Amino acid sequence: MPRTRRLLMTALVALSATSCGEPTPSEESSTAAAQPQPSVLALMLTEVAPATDTLWGVDNPQSDADWQALTNAADRTVLAFEAIKRGGSGPNDQDWADEAAWRAYADDVIAAARSAKLAITARDMNALSDANIALYTPCEACHLDYHPGVTEPHQE
């Protein structure tokens, strides 16, 4: 009897350990689907603005930490715009995401941020400057089309 009990306990422990392991891909996708999509505005304020401020504010990075901060900013920009391209939970976000121009702006930003990351990896400031110009262009154009006034200087 003790041997049978021990085998049963071992089987139960093994079964419970496997059921508490990493989620399966279908569990991950259902969890991701259950999480609310942020609005485009929220992504702009929490992800895009800080990341692009870092990229556009680059000034002679010296340390590995400086370069890593730039890499992180480029990555955050790509991830944010992959989400922005799909739209968000804001009142106009899904309508915008249905427009070819919206998706083209997002694709241009993603491409520029990827170019920035390549320049950062190579520690090539000239290439990073070019990538930052390429990044700024679709940002400004999109803001003019979809959020006029945001590119205007802030007045108090």
Side-chain angles (χ1 to χ4, degrees):
M1 248 343 183
R3 179 172 156 73
T4 305
R5 182 183 234 167
R6 198 172 25 240
L7 286 173
L8 182 58
M9 290 301 291
T10 303
L12 286 173
V13 169
L15 180 61
S16 66
T18 59
S19 67
C20 295
E22 294 295 317
T24 66
S26 63
E27 290 171 335
E28 286 178 355
S29 64
S30 66
T31 301
Q35 295 176 352
Q37 171 73 16
S39 69
V40 168
L41 179 59
L43 284 169
M44 287 288 181
L45 294 174
T46 63
E47 296 296 324
V48 175
T52 55
D53 285 349
T54 298
L55 291 170
W56 291 328
V58 65
D59 183 32
N60 196 23
Q62 298 292 312
S63 69
D64 288 343
D66 293 341
W67 289 102
Q68 187 60 52
L70 292 167
T71 298
N72 293 346
D75 288 342
R76 285 177 69 187
T77 302
V78 168
L79 290 173
F81 272 90
E82 287 172 345
I84 287 168
K85 183 178 176 178
R86 294 187 303 269
S89 59
N92 299 312
D93 293 356
Q94 289 304 310
D95 291 336
W96 292 337
D98 290 339
E99 295 182 23
W102 178 266
R103 293 187 308 275
Y105 286 137
D107 285 338
D108 289 348
V109 170
I110 291 167
R114 287 183 174 148
S115 293
K117 185 170 180 179
L118 289 173
I120 293 160
T121 300
R123 296 189 179 199
D124 183 340
M125 286 301 294
N126 290 328
L128 181 54
S129 178
D130 291 344
N132 278 338
I133 291 167
L135 179 62
Y136 183 79
T137 303
C139 288
E140 181 178 36
C142 186
H143 284 208
L144 289 172
D145 285 349
Y146 292 94
H147 195 27
V150 79
T151 58
E152 300 287 323
H154 179 69
Q155 297 178 2
E156 299 197 31

